[in-house]
Amino acid sequence: QQQVKQSPQSLIVQKGGISIINCAYENTAFDYFPWYQQFPGKGPALLIAIRPDVSEKKEGRFTISFNKSAKQFSLHIMDSQPGDSATYFCAARRSEGGATNKLIFGTGTLLAVQP
Amino acid sequence: EPEVTQTPSHQVTQMGQEVILRCVPISNHLYFYWYRQILGQKVEFLVSFYNNEISEKSEIFDDQFSVERPDGSNFTLKIRSTKLEDSAMYFCASSEHQISYEQYFGPGTRLTVT
């Protein structure tokens, strides 16, 4: 119930292509879904986030699609660039009476964008 | 742009020794967190801290761990007697307030226990 399942584990995309990473959850108490980008040796950097009252959020080349009924959300990277090569983590925040802001992370997707 | 900073970037210690990992959260943030990431694995929540007390801790955060905000800027994680399995990247994060949800992570401290 506390898990966030992420797929694929790794992804290779050609420059200019679309990268798609998927996540699924079971706990309906999750109320905030961020995506983090992590380069080797660095901390996770907040990329984009969505709340369950909207089905899509777009920021530049990055889009989150959210399907509340299916309990799934995905990250789409349009026009993927070699500089996007990194590990991407989805996460979810559990709301329990506002007592916590704990993030539960997916297992990560290693994205390689080939020039 | 404000950022979370952490020191040291790499700490090597012997099993059984105490270590203190330090973090300076973003200055107007009120909620502080520690996460860890074992090499090649996902990021795991350890503890959250607000108003000078722990608001939540995970099963990983046992009696060997403690957190403190000794002054108005630093936030520390202490491991009293390190074990080999404590070797990981430790990330500090902060958020402005609970409603904002957004957590900003520091660059991490790589802890190696030998």
Side-chain angles (χ1 to χ4, degrees):
Chain A
Q1 276 255 323
Q2 290 282 27
Q3 285 187 335
V4 177
K5 295 181 181 178
Q6 184 171 349
S7 63
Q9 190 173 2
S10 62
L11 181 61
I12 299 174
V13 172
Q14 296 298 314
K15 180 182 174 182
I18 303 173
S19 303
I20 301 174
I21 304 170
N22 301 298
C23 284
Y25 64 97
E26 293 183 0
N27 191 338
T28 56
F30 291 151
D31 65 353
Y32 167 74
F33 303 89
W35 284 90
Y36 282 84
Q37 178 188 58
Q38 186 180 32
F39 293 104
K42 304 294 184 184
L46 181 61
L47 195 59
I48 186 173
I50 198 167
R51 300 198 190 175
D53 52 346
V54 297
S55 60
E56 187 175 280
K57 183 173 181 181
K58 184 175 181 179
E59 289 184 2
R61 296 185 294 110
F62 300 93
T63 299
I64 299 178
S65 297
F66 188 84
N67 186 329
K68 188 173 182 179
S69 60
K71 296 182 204 168
Q72 295 175 348
F73 58 109
S74 59
L75 176 69
H76 295 234
I77 306 174
M78 312 300 287
D79 187 27
S80 299
Q81 299 296 313
D84 296 330
S85 298
T87 299
Y88 292 81
F89 290 95
C90 63
R93 172 197 182 269
R94 187 193 73 223
S95 169
E96 286 187 1
T100 182
N101 209 12
K102 164 184 173 178
L103 290 178
I104 296 167
F105 282 81
T107 48
T109 295
L110 180 60
L111 171 65
V113 181
Q114 294 186 334
Chain B
E1 185 176 318
E3 57 183 16
V4 177
T5 59
Q6 290 185 243
T7 55
S9 57
H10 190 192
Q11 174 90 46
V12 181
T13 189
Q14 289 190 330
M15 196 167 50
Q17 295 297 304
E18 175 183 286
V19 293
I20 298 176
L21 310 183
R22 291 182 167 80
C23 166
V24 178
I26 295 173
S27 63
N28 64 331
H29 285 190
L30 301 177
Y31 290 82
F32 314 114
Y33 314 87
W34 284 100
Y35 292 82
R36 80 170 186 190
Q37 184 179 33
I38 295 172
L39 186 63
Q41 297 185 23
K42 67 178 178 181
V43 178
E44 298 175 288
F45 170 81
L46 290 178
V47 65
S48 59
F49 190 87
Y50 169 68
N51 200 27
N52 282 318
E53 62 182 25
I54 291 173
S55 49
E56 186 177 4
K57 59 184 180 180
S58 72
E59 292 174 352
I60 302 167
F61 195 89
D62 61 22
D63 292 344
Q64 293 300 313
F65 291 87
S66 62
V67 289
E68 192 179 31
R69 189 155 163 83
D71 53 42
S73 59
N74 290 283
F75 179 50
T76 62
L77 173 70
K78 183 195 290 187
I79 309 175
R80 272 182 259 283
S81 178
T82 49
K83 308 187 205 60
L84 294 176
E85 54 265 37
D86 294 327
S87 295
M89 281 289 283
Y90 287 81
F91 294 108
C92 173
S94 68
S95 61
E96 186 174 359
H97 48 75
Q98 205 161 26
I99 297 174
S100 74
Y101 295 179
E102 290 136 348
Q103 293 183 29
Y104 296 91
F105 283 70
T109 292
R110 176 167 299 284
L111 176 65
T112 302
V113 182
T114 62

